[in-house]
Amino acid sequence: MVLEGNPEVGSPRTSDLQHPGNQGSCILSSPGEDAQPGEEPIKYGELIVLGCCEEGGEKTEAQRGEVTGPRALHQALSNRGQHSISYTLSRSHSVIVEYTHDSDTDMFQIGRSTENMIDFVVTDTSPGGGAAEGPSAQSTISRYACRILCDRRPPYTARIYAAGFDASSNIFLGERAAKWRTPDGLMDGLTTNGVLVMHPAGGFSEDSAPGVWREISVCGNVYTLRDSRSAQQRGKLVENESNVLQDGSLIDLCGATLLWRTPAGLLRAPTLKQLEAQRQEANAARPQCPVGLSTLAFPSPARGRTAPDKQQPWVYVRCGHVHGYHGWGCRRERGPQERECPLCRLVGPYVPLWLGQEAGLCLDPGPPSHAFAPCGHVCSEKTARYWAQTPLPHGTHAFHAACPFCGAWLTGEHGCVRLIFQGPLD
């Protein structure tokens, strides 16, 4: 057993965590070093779980897991006041790196465990949106998946590291986990299923483009992806990239993908009031069903996502023509949801339209002009095109674009469609 010191590498101090009303997000904040009673806390950023932002969705619950570790290390790691990382090289050889307190940073931990040291509990989301259910739905998210360290002084830089400390203030990397010595003689490693990060090119704005997925190590170094998610051979070190989170950075935990938004970035995002004003403006235009000639209207978010009402807009996702609900044009030989558009005769899914209500997922406050296919969530053109071009990790080595609001895999040539409304005849 080898004890190695690594002073001031990480901070075990955890500050306050505020949970807003939205079930799919949390706010990382600190009361501040010199804060007075009654002062507003410093907001470091916000995490949003992709695919969990539907109105009326059920909140998922994480299963409680037990903390286990090599018995030979129990005595050396029994001091809960001392944070450390254990690298198990073999049954008889382990390296322990001790961490010291750092008063200049706050640490937030993310994982599947519901224990107190986890600030943001996440569970697996299925490809079609929602939580994975059933006895066979074994979670692939680590109980202590990752940790984010935020500087307490401006500009409040946030850095991400793979793995989190357990109830004994330890991180265990077993024999199967990838681990190695760096050129400067220190230990580093990867978690079993890895923590992947993608920074958008051009920031999270109207001019954004998807970046390249990378893997983050336990010490915060950046590597290219492994051949498969749990392969023991690490990727290549990417020296010109860092683990600093940017506005719009995506964090994939092998079962759930999180979006990091900075306070400055959220100021550019549309507000809920703006989204509501856009809904009312769209309804004020009195769009009509081109066949039934009935007036269509997007329902209020307060109504929740139950069954579509009589005025609910529906769309043929292949062409974008918007109608009211009707029962004709079925092509069941092509599939249970396949319908033929009465205007252009294209055959494809026919689904209700729902306005996306998570403002943090939007790149700009543009009008709701496009819908994701095949789920029917509506947002601005630039928001729709960005997410339709962003591959999200799935399984051990696959990537697939998905709706950020419900998590449904996108289909069709572009993954989204421009909506074609018909105005009132009068």
Side-chain angles (χ1 to χ4, degrees), residues 128-315:
E133 300 177 351
S136 61
Q138 184 176 0
S139 178
T140 52
I141 300 176
S142 171
R143 291 170 294 178
Y144 319 102
C146 66
R147 60 197 191 278
I148 295 177
L149 270 65
C150 302
D151 291 343
R152 287 187 164 187
R153 295 180 176 86
Y156 308 113
T157 302
R159 297 175 175 85
I160 185 170
Y161 301 80
F165 294 98
D166 61 18
S168 300
S169 302
N170 302 310
I171 293 175
F172 291 97
L173 292 182
E175 291 185 55
R176 295 184 179 181
K179 63 191 77 69
W180 61 90
R181 281 191 180 273
T182 61
D184 53 6
L186 299 177
M187 292 297 299
D188 201 356
L190 305 173
T191 55
T192 302
N193 289 331
V195 175
L196 307 187
V197 171
M198 189 270 281
H199 305 300
F204 199 69
S205 63
E206 298 179 6
D207 301 323
S208 293
V212 179
W213 283 98
R214 304 296 193 193
E215 182 163 10
I216 303 298
S217 72
V218 173
C219 293
N221 294 312
V222 182
Y223 292 86
T224 59
L225 301 187
R226 291 178 271 182
D227 292 337
S228 65
R229 199 67 187 252
S230 58
Q232 290 189 318
Q233 181 61 41
R234 71 179 185 274
K236 296 180 179 180
L237 178 65
V238 184
E239 297 183 358
N240 62 339
E241 297 182 18
S242 73
N243 62 336
V244 174
L245 294 176
Q246 307 170 13
D247 185 44
S249 292
L250 291 175
I251 306 168
D252 188 79
L253 305 178
C254 194
T257 304
L258 314 179
L259 173 67
W260 172 260
R261 295 304 311 269
T262 63
L266 288 172
L267 291 177
R268 298 189 298 267
T271 64
L272 291 178
K273 288 184 178 180
Q274 287 177 311
L275 294 179
E276 173 61 18
Q278 290 178 351
R279 184 188 73 86
Q280 295 182 7
E281 183 178 354
N283 290 344
R286 295 172 56 207
Q288 288 190 341
C289 174
V291 177
L293 301 182
S294 59
T295 301
L296 307 177
F298 287 101
S300 169
R303 176 176 170 270
R305 283 200 59 171
T306 55
D309 60 21
K310 295 180 179 180
Q311 289 187 299
Q312 182 90 28
W314 287 64
V315 65

